[in-house]
Amino acid sequence: MLKERKCPECRGIIKPGQTELKYELEKMSVSIKNVPASVCMKCGHSFLDGHIAEDVNRLVNRVTEDLNSFTKTHPQVGERHREVAIAV
Ligand SMILES: [Zn+2]
């Protein structure tokens, strides 16, 4: 069992949970839902494990590349406020 962790912000108890991450990129915003994270029960602050943060970064990079090539071939798709939501 993991040792009980305390939130560095408020000293609340941290428990395994899920969070939603948002990335504001140059031309679009990407939100990723249901990301496994440690969440403070008191203030709601969430903490990602190192390897999950890496996976998420890779995912965001890939989505960004895919979207860039997609919007190049489909320039008629909304010029601004592109938003992509991913649920994992
Ligand atoms: Zn907290």
Side-chain angles (χ1 to χ4, degrees), residues 14-46:
I14 293 174
K15 291 199 169 161
Q18 292 177 331
T19 189
E20 178 176 348
L21 299 172
K22 285 203 168 169
Y23 294 86
E24 295 297 328
L25 306 174
E26 205 179 324
K27 288 180 185 162
M28 67 200 96
S29 67
V30 178
S31 61
I32 305 173
K33 294 174 183 178
N34 306 332
V35 178
S38 305
V39 182
C40 173
M41 296 289 106
K42 204 167 156 191
C43 72
H45 200 98
S46 57

Side-chain angles (χ1 to χ4, degrees), residues 21-25 28-32 35 52-68 84 86:
L21 299 172
K22 285 203 168 169
Y23 294 86
E24 295 297 328
L25 306 174
M28 67 200 96
S29 67
V30 178
S31 61
I32 305 173
V35 178
I52 291 174
E54 271 176 40
D55 286 353
V56 167
N57 274 337
R58 244 193 322 261
L59 176 66
V60 170
N61 285 339
R62 244 194 23 221
V63 167
T64 308
E65 277 174 29
D66 283 356
L67 276 171
N68 281 340
V84 183
I86 306 161

